[in-house]
């Protein structure tokens, strides 16, 4: 059998984005020996790309804000499918987590009084996002990284975990390989935290990087954990559409928060044409009021461009389909227009949105202070993920925890912008704390060598197939899957297309068994792609199955064959589990009853 | 669609060579896009490090026609395509494979710099008050995406291989961000002189020229640090004065 090196940890954290780093710091502070594994170099995880900000009801800009409003906003945005306990904890604890970042060296933009400045974002009643220009994620990950490297955490960079190991029912560790040399590593650990991020690479147009192949989702699923809400994939309304090669790269919602408006080819601000009932009370009905909101008039309601992402994305699709799109198949997003309103507009835009300015200039040759951007929806975030307990973040497998984007619950059917960065630190901390507790209480598990051997054999199989006659190119399978998901399980869904997608996925699974890698194991991306394929196929199937099952439209999930929201569906989450025969099983689970106190808050804020 | 020839360095620590690949490209494409096509169609095992493809993570550093750059932010339309385009890994770091280098020395250097130590909070709810003006100075440094292109180009590291004696421009920027942080109370000046070799920098400004984040590394970070060192070590009057003054306001 292949050789491997063994590492011993009390808590193993898989993933070094905001959630993983925060979890590792906490577990280490609890006195555990912590291992932190990531596929890229430290500080390069997806979190680094986050732009707009992190939501926390600090009430620095509008004193009317508080955890109750943040809670109600999150639940409304998630169309009440959220794990209400998580939404409550998140709203209560986010401010402390922001201040904690500051105490570790983060430097947020300031208000006139010298406090942390907060900006407007879609679905948030008050300016709530602590930010640093449009590079908030960089600030967060660097702060956690620079703090974390002094905490005695064992960091394993550029290591891909391929399987979780179990000792009976409980978790026992993980097996991975280092990308540089292709050598296997076995991690024995009393508790494991998954913080692996999202699944965007299952789609063709996405703001996500190669890392987002749904590894954590698939690892947990294969280890017997439940996945939840997988039908809810967020398509961010504004990705770049031109040039083709940058299609999908994100244009932060911060542009709209700073006053950017959406127009169709006729110059019309089409977002005024369709304002959902749930938001009528909170939304401006004319341009003048919308602008007053942007500049901080507390009596004004927010402009319709700041409605939730699911809705804005669908309005954009509607305009494009009706032939009112821009030349390259998007719509126009204009921030330059604010020069009609303020004198130093150009400077203001460059200061508030420096990386957007740079990105468009560099990649598209567009000066956003003068010209409108062309934008269209892009696959951005997965609300669904590993089902966890709201307080401890433990999954249905004892000793296996999850936090951040790979965990489900906080966001329900649709995530509000800015609620992810705060999610990472609130629940990263909790996962770290409770994983440490679990590891201490349960001691080190025993590792079954046979599980490790199987995983190593499967991982190396692509090399043996290179010489076979039916050998397949893994990149080609990946591209086919991305097209399939984009076309059949995208923003607008129907039964026929999703059934076709499931068929297609089954066929691709067959082909993936022949995916082959050439050359040797050292830093070989062809091989890495073969390994990741299985994860992508699992999450793609999960999304398609859940989406087919939910015969209504809610949040990010829109069915043209069931365009209405069905109130009974509001009681149910969809759960996926690997059956004993290896097939994917789906089940409805009723949402736990909400305490009266939380219901009152929701009602009061309606 | 136009066509270009790429001379890509292929090999590992034991040696390698340039190999030619011909690929088609659209005007909007960046170098990284074309390399991905080559990877998918002609060279499945071509090693490239990348993540965001948007100039935000600092993973895809390499040397394009001899210039240290981010491959994801270099548009094909800015390169002459009548001649082959040369792509090689960063030369200052040990090779792992093809375009991927071992940049781990940077992570070690960083750990040798004393971490942030804030003054006690200013308000009862555990917050601090700072002026936007005061934070802007360090915000410039905190834009750093750790692409290590500045380390790659600095002759102290590139030609003189002083990785053990000199922390390089990236980490001087990091140290400056801490030293000039309005809340920080730690003193790193002695370390910068003795342990981190700030004196080896002779202000050639090559680092500033390659920084994709346009951080004015030399003028805004390194020179002020050098001044602090000079004050503390060579100017007894200033030094005495400092002893009786709190280091920062
Ligand atoms: C362009 C962009 C802008 C965004 N802007 C915002 C914003 O303004 N506000 C906001 O709140 N949210 C924003 N988001 C969303 C938010 O950034 C992400 O949801 C969040 O950063 C995810 O963090 P994480 O810690 O869960 O995972 P990540 O930061 O993605 O980290 C995942 C980690 O897991 C590791 N990993 C994955 N698989 C494996 C494996 N098999 N083995 C080992 N390691 C593995 C990866 O290497 C990585 O270290 C944005 C997202 C994008 C893409
Ligand atoms: S200015 Fe100093 S740090 Fe920068 S490249 Fe020149 S010698 Fe190196
Ligand atoms: S200072 Fe500039 S060049 Fe150096 S690592 Fe940071 S971003 Fe890169
Ligand atoms: S891939 Fe992130 S900077 Fe180039």
């Amino acid at each position: 059998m292949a050789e491997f090196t063994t590492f011993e940890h009390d808590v193993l954290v898989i993933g070094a984005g905001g959630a993983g780093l925060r979890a590792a710091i906490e577990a280490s502070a609890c006195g555990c020996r912590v291992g932190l594994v990531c596929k890229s170099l430290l500080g390069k995880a997806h979190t680094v790309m986050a732009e707009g900000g992190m939501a926390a009801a600090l009430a620095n800009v509008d004193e009317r804000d508080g955890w109750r409003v943040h809670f109600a906003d999150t639940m409304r945005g998630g169309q009440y499918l959220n794990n209400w306990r998580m939404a409550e904890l998140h709203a209560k604890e986010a401010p402390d987590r922001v201040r904690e970042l500051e105490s570790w060296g983060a430097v947020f933009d300031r208000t006139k009084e010298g406090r942390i400045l907060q900006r407007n974002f879609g679905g948030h009643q008050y300016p709530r996002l602590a930010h640093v220009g449009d590079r908030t994620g960089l600030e967060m990950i660097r702060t956690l990284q620079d703090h974390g490297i002094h905490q005695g955490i064992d960091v394993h960079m550029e290591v891909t975990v391929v399987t979780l190991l179990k000792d009976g029912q409980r978790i026992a560790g993980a097996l991975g390989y280092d990308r540089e040399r292709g050598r296997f590593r076995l991690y024995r650990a009393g508790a494991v935290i998954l913080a692996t991020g999202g699944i965007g690479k299952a789609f063709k147009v996405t703001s996500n990087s190669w890392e987002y192949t749904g590894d954590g989702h698939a690892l947990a699923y294969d280890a017997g954990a439940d996945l939840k809400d997988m039908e809810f994939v967020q398509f961010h309304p504004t990705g770049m559409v031109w040039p083709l090669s940058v299609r999908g790269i994100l244009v932060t919602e911060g542009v709209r928060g700073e006053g950017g408006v959406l127009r169709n080819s006729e110059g019309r601000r089409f977002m005024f044409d369709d304002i959902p009932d749930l938001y009528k009370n909170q939304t401006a009905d004319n341009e003048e009021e919308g602008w007053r909101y942007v500049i901080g008039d507390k009596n004004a309601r927010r402009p319709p461009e700041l409605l939730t992402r699911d809705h804005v994305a669908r309005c954009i699709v509607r305009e494009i389909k009706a032939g009112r799109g821009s030349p390259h198949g998007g719509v126009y997003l204009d921030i330059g227009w604010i020069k009609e309103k303020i004198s130093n507009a150009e400077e203001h835009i460059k200061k508030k949105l420096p990386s957007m300015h740079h990105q468009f200039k560099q990649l598209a040759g567009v000066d956003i202070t003068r010209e409108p951007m062309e934008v269209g929806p892009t696959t951005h975030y997965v609300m669904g993920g590993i089902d966890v307990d709201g307080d401890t973040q433990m999954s249905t497998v004892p000793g296996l925890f999850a936090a951040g984007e790979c965990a489900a619950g906080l966001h329900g059917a649709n995530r509000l912008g800015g609620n992810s960065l705060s999610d990472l630190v609130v629940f990263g901390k909790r996962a770290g704390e409770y994983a440490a507790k679990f590891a201490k209480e349960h001691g080190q598990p025993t590792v079954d060598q046979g599980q490790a051997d199987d995983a190593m054999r499967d991982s190396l199989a692509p090399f043996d197939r290179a010489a076979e006659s039916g050998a397949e190119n893994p990149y080609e399978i990946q591209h086919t899957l991305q097209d399939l998901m984009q076309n059949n399980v995208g923003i607008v869904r129907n039964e026929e297309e999703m059934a076709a997608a499931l068929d297609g996925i089954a066929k691709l699974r067959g082909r993936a068994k022949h995916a082959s890698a050439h050359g040797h194991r050292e830093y070989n991306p062809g091989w890495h792609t073969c390994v990741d394929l299985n994860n992508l196929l699992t999450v793609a199937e999960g999304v398609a199955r859940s989406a087919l099952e939910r015969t209504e439209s809610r949040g990010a999930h829109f069915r043209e064959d069931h365009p209405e929201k069905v109130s009974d569906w509001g009681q149910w989450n969809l759960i996926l589990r690997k059956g004993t025969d290896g097939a994917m099983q789906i089940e409805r689970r009723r949402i736990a009853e909400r305490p009266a106190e939380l219901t009152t808050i929701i009602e009061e804020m309606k | 669609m136009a066509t270009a020839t790429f001379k890509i360095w292929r090999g590992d620590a034991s040696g390698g060579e340039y190999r030619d690949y011909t690929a088609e490209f659209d005007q909007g494409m960046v170098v990284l896009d074309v390399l991905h096509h080559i990877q998918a169609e002609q060279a499945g095992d071509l090693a490239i490090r990348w993540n965001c493809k948007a100039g935000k993570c600092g993973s895809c550093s390499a040397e394009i026609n001899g210039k240290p750059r981010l491959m994801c932010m270099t548009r094909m339309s800015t390169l002459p395509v009548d001649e082959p385009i040369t792509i090689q890994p960063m030369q200052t770091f040990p090779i792992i494979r093809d375009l991927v280098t071992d940049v781990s020395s940077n992570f070690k250097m960083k750990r040798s710099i004393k971490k942030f130590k804030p003054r006690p909070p200013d308000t009862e709810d555990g917050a601090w008050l700072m002026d936007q003006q005061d934070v802007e100075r360090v915000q410039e440094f905190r834009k750093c995406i750790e692409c290590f292109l500045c380390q790659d180009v600095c002759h102290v590291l590139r030609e003189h291989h002083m990785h053990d004696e000199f922390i390089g421009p990236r980490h001087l920027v990091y140290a400056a961000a801490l030293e000039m942080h309005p809340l920080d109370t730690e003193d790193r000046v002695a370390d910068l002189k003795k342990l981190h070799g700030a004196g080896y920098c002779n202000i050639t400004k090559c680092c500033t020229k390659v920084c994709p984040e346009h951080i004015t590394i030399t003028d805004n970070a390194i020179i002020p640090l050098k001044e602090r060192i000079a004050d503390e070590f060579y100017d007894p009057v200033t030094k005495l004065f400092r002893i009786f003054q709190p280091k920062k306001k």
Side-chain angles (χ1 to χ4, degrees):
Chain A
M1 250 297 115
E3 287 178 25
F4 60 86
T5 317
T6 304
F7 297 85
E8 295 277 339
H9 299 292
D10 300 317
V11 175
L12 178 72
V13 182
I14 304 173
L21 278 164
R22 187 64 192 83
I25 289 170
E26 193 64 20
S28 169
C30 295
C32 285
R33 297 169 300 164
V34 178
L36 177 62
V37 186
C38 50
K39 291 205 276 192
S40 296
L41 295 173
L42 196 58
K44 312 293 185 198
H46 241 82
T47 300
V48 82
M49 296 161 70
E51 295 164 355
M54 71 188 278
L58 294 159
N60 287 350
V61 173
D62 194 317
E63 67 286 352
R64 290 171 299 180
D65 204 6
W67 79 264
R68 287 179 181 77
V69 197
H70 192 182
F71 166 78
D73 287 351
T74 302
M75 294 296 293
R76 187 186 305 108
Q79 306 264 337
Y80 308 106
L81 288 190
N82 325 51
N83 175 329
W84 45 261
R85 178 63 178 157
M86 284 173 79
E88 177 192 4
L89 289 170
H90 170 253
K92 283 181 174 163
E93 294 175 6
D96 280 345
R97 296 285 83 75
V98 174
R99 285 190 280 264
E100 176 178 81
L101 286 175
E102 189 158 88
S103 77
W104 293 344
V107 184
F108 294 101
D109 287 349
R110 319 305 296 181
T111 64
K112 281 200 188 68
E113 299 75 38
R115 291 179 171 270
I116 294 172
L117 181 62
Q118 300 182 271
R119 72 157 45 118
N120 294 315
F121 239 56
H124 293 282
Q125 226 14 315
Y126 302 118
R128 190 176 283 147
L129 269 67
H131 63 277
V132 186
D134 53 5
R135 57 163 191 84
T136 315
L138 171 65
E139 191 67 19
M140 172 184 267
I141 200 165
R142 201 65 83 230
T143 301
L144 292 170
Q145 174 190 345
D146 294 350
H147 182 75
I149 56 174
H150 296 285
Q151 306 303 303
I153 298 161
D154 247 329
V155 182
H156 304 259
M157 289 196 262
E158 299 200 308
V159 169
T160 300
V161 168
V162 294
T163 196
L164 297 176
L165 304 170
K166 285 176 78 179
D167 175 0
Q169 287 308 302
R170 80 175 270 206
I171 205 77
L175 183 101
Y177 64 86
D178 75 274
R179 301 168 70 83
E180 278 183 17
R181 303 275 169 237
R183 287 185 291 229
F184 289 104
R185 299 185 180 197
L186 191 151
Y187 300 94
R188 191 162 79 116
V192 172
I193 301 173
L194 290 167
T196 52
I199 65 156
K201 275 291 156 194
F203 293 81
K204 184 174 173 191
V205 179
T206 175
S207 62
N208 297 170
S209 84
W210 65 268
E211 289 204 304
Y212 268 21
T213 45
D215 295 6
H217 293 73
L219 289 170
Y221 170 82
D222 285 331
D226 289 356
L227 301 184
K228 189 170 84 171
D229 292 341
M230 288 300 289
E231 64 274 37
F232 298 110
V233 177
Q234 180 166 77
F235 300 93
H236 194 290
T238 60
M240 292 177 81
V241 297
W242 189 256
L244 258 191
S245 61
V246 298
R247 190 161 203 153
I249 292 183
L250 193 76
V251 181
T252 175
E253 188 166 324
V255 174
R256 283 169 281 144
E258 298 295 338
V261 299
L262 290 165
R263 292 186 207 280
N264 61 20
S265 60
E266 295 161 5
R268 183 177 171 77
R269 267 180 82 176
F270 57 86
M271 286 308 301
F272 280 108
D273 299 345
D274 177 12
I275 296 170
D277 290 339
L278 205 54
Y279 285 92
K280 276 236 156 75
N281 293 336
Q282 306 179 355
T283 309
D285 53 18
N286 64 82
E287 301 196 7
E288 187 269 335
E289 182 181 2
W291 173 250
R292 280 197 285 118
Y293 177 88
V294 170
I295 54 173
D297 180 342
K298 293 190 176 158
N299 298 316
R301 294 169 300 174
R302 54 178 186 268
E305 276 85 1
L306 291 178
L307 283 162
T308 51
R309 291 178 173 174
D310 50 342
H311 180 75
V312 179
R314 277 193 297 274
C315 290
I316 292 177
V317 170
R318 179 194 70 211
E319 291 304 306
I320 298 169
K321 279 198 173 158
R324 294 187 293 266
S326 66
H328 301 108
V331 294
Y332 295 107
L333 171 62
D334 187 6
I335 178 77
W337 82 278
I338 64 171
K339 61 181 167 290
E340 293 166 23
K341 300 280 186 185
I342 57 176
S343 55
N344 59 341
E346 188 174 330
E347 223 172 282
H348 180 79
I349 293 167
K350 284 190 195 158
K351 188 146 162 219
K352 282 307 202 181
L353 304 162
S355 80
M356 284 306 106
H357 183 255
H358 183 69
Q359 177 176 315
F360 271 89
K361 200 138 207 185
Q362 199 91 355
L363 295 176
V366 167
D367 178 355
I368 67 166
T369 66
R370 284 154 212 276
E371 306 157 75
M373 300 158 248
E374 272 188 79
V375 297
T378 179
T379 314
H380 185 55
Y381 185 90
V382 61
M383 274 67 77
I386 302 155
D387 182 32
V388 291
D389 174 70
D391 287 80
T392 65
Q393 299 294 108
M394 190 158 89
S395 73
T396 50
V397 172
L400 180 64
F401 296 75
E405 188 167 342
C406 71
L410 172 60
H411 310 294
N414 175 53
R415 172 180 75 97
L416 299 185
N419 266 1
S420 169
L421 289 185
S422 40
D423 170 8
L424 307 184
V425 277
V426 167
F427 294 105
K429 177 181 188 294
R430 283 184 164 266
E433 181 183 336
Y434 287 95
K437 191 159 175 271
F438 184 94
K440 281 185 191 161
E441 284 171 7
H442 293 80
Q444 285 297 85
T446 314
V447 164
D448 168 4
Q449 173 79 38
Q451 294 175 17
D453 287 342
D454 288 350
M456 288 189 281
R457 194 192 49 232
D458 290 350
S459 304
L460 291 176
F463 288 109
D464 304 334
R465 298 181 201 127
E468 278 176 19
S469 59
E472 293 262 10
N473 177 341
Y475 295 103
E476 215 180 281
I477 302 175
Q478 196 190 53
H479 293 160
T480 311
L481 177 67
Q482 290 164 341
D483 278 331
L484 186 70
M485 291 300 285
Q486 187 78 31
N487 297 334
N488 294 312
V489 199
I491 301 184
V492 178
R493 300 166 169 173
N494 65 49
E495 182 176 339
E496 199 184 328
E497 288 177 357
M498 287 190 287
L502 283 168
D503 259 4
I505 292 167
K507 289 202 185 90
L508 288 172
R509 248 188 220 289
R511 285 179 61 189
K513 293 203 170 72
H514 303 282
S516 71
H518 295 269
H520 54 78
R521 275 150 72 176
E522 293 185 13
Y523 221 109
N524 184 339
W527 177 40
H528 303 164
T529 305
C530 291
V531 175
D532 296 344
L533 262 183
N534 292 315
N535 301 330
L536 265 187
L537 286 162
T538 299
V539 292
E541 181 180 344
V543 172
R545 263 195 210 292
S546 310
L548 187 59
E549 181 77 9
R550 186 173 283 277
T551 45
E552 66 154 352
S553 294
R554 180 183 295 269
H557 170 69
F558 184 79
R559 294 270 307 244
E560 60 188 354
D561 48 354
H562 298 276
E564 301 300 324
K565 186 152 77 183
V566 177
S567 67
D568 180 58
W569 266 112
Q571 309 294 316
W572 303 94
N573 290 125
L574 290 175
I575 302 288
L576 299 171
R577 192 174 305 135
K578 193 172 189 169
T580 40
D581 58 351
M584 192 177 276
Q585 295 176 348
I586 188 161
E587 148 192 322
R588 291 185 191 196
R589 193 171 67 202
R590 191 178 279 282
I591 294 173
E593 202 169 332
R594 224 170 19 223
E597 184 211 0
L598 295 182
T599 302
T600 315
I601 296 173
I602 289 171
E603 293 303 324
E604 277 171 5
M605 306 275 170
K606 262 198 173 142
Chain B
M1 283 277 180
T3 309
T5 305
F6 285 81
K7 277 187 151 5
I8 304 175
W9 194 88
R10 304 288 317 259
D12 54 30
S14 62
E17 61 185 7
Y18 289 95
R19 273 190 230 155
D20 285 357
Y21 298 89
T22 303
E24 293 193 320
F25 67 94
D26 273 332
Q27 273 312 311
M29 279 189 179
V30 294
V31 168
L32 185 61
D33 292 318
V34 187
L35 292 190
H36 279 152
H37 282 287
I38 293 174
Q39 195 181 51
E41 286 150 20
Q42 306 175 41
D45 59 351
L46 170 63
I48 311 172
R49 201 184 255 136
W50 68 286
N51 270 55
C52 67
K53 212 169 102 54
K56 295 194 166 80
C57 73
S59 302
C60 64
S61 307
E63 298 184 6
I64 303 171
N65 288 339
K67 289 209 183 78
R69 306 185 70 167
L70 296 177
M71 294 191 284
C72 73
M73 294 303 274
T74 307
R75 282 181 83 175
M76 288 301 295
S77 57
T78 63
L79 297 172
V81 291
D82 39 354
E83 298 159 42
I85 298 166
T86 313
I87 318 264
Q88 63 184 23
M90 289 194 283
Q91 300 293 297
T92 297
F93 304 107
I95 298 285
I96 293 174
R97 183 176 185 187
D98 302 340
L99 301 178
V100 177
T101 54
D102 177 1
V103 293
S104 58
S105 57
N106 290 294
F107 294 90
K108 290 195 199 91
M109 287 173 183
K110 189 183 225 182
R111 218 175 28 221
S112 74
I113 298 167
K114 283 187 200 149
K115 71 178 201 180
F116 176 67
K117 194 166 122 194
R119 68 177 186 230
D122 300 331
T123 66
E124 265 175 28
D125 58 355
W128 283 271
L129 302 177
M130 291 185 268
D131 273 348
Q132 180 63 32
Q133 247 182 347
D134 294 339
V135 302
E136 266 163 26
R137 190 152 77 143
V138 293
Q139 282 182 335
E140 179 192 2
F141 304 144
R142 295 183 65 87
K143 286 194 303 191
C144 170
I145 56 174
E146 300 199 330
C147 63
F148 308 128
L149 287 171
C150 55
Q151 304 284 89
D152 183 42
V153 83
C154 174
H155 68 103
V156 184
L157 301 172
R158 191 180 177 106
E159 274 137 42
H160 305 289
H161 311 289
M162 300 183 76
H163 294 264
D164 294 328
E165 293 89 350
F166 179 53
I167 54 171
R170 157 58 191 138
H171 301 101
L172 290 172
V173 167
Y174 176 63
L178 289 165
E179 281 291 297
M180 298 178 201
H181 193 303
L183 306 182
D184 183 64
T185 58
E186 187 60 87
D187 188 348
R188 299 172 189 79
V189 175
D191 278 0
L192 282 166
K193 175 179 157 57
K194 293 180 190 142
L195 195 61
H196 299 142
Y200 287 111
C201 162
N202 57 344
I203 322 203
T204 59
K205 303 202 184 184
C206 311
C207 51
T208 307
K209 284 188 204 117
V210 299
C211 177
E213 286 292 311
H214 306 293
I215 300 170
T216 24
I217 304 175
T218 335
D219 290 1
N220 289 357
I222 300 181
I223 293 176
L225 287 182
K226 280 175 168 285
E227 283 170 359
R228 286 183 189 207
I229 295 171
D231 283 0
E232 196 156 321
F233 286 91
Y234 308 108
D235 182 349
V237 182
T238 319
K239 197 174 168 187
L240 254 182
F241 184 71
R242 286 247 167 106
I243 292 173
F244 296 107
Q245 291 275 314
K247 193 180 135 223
K248 279 158 205 159
K249 72 159 171 108

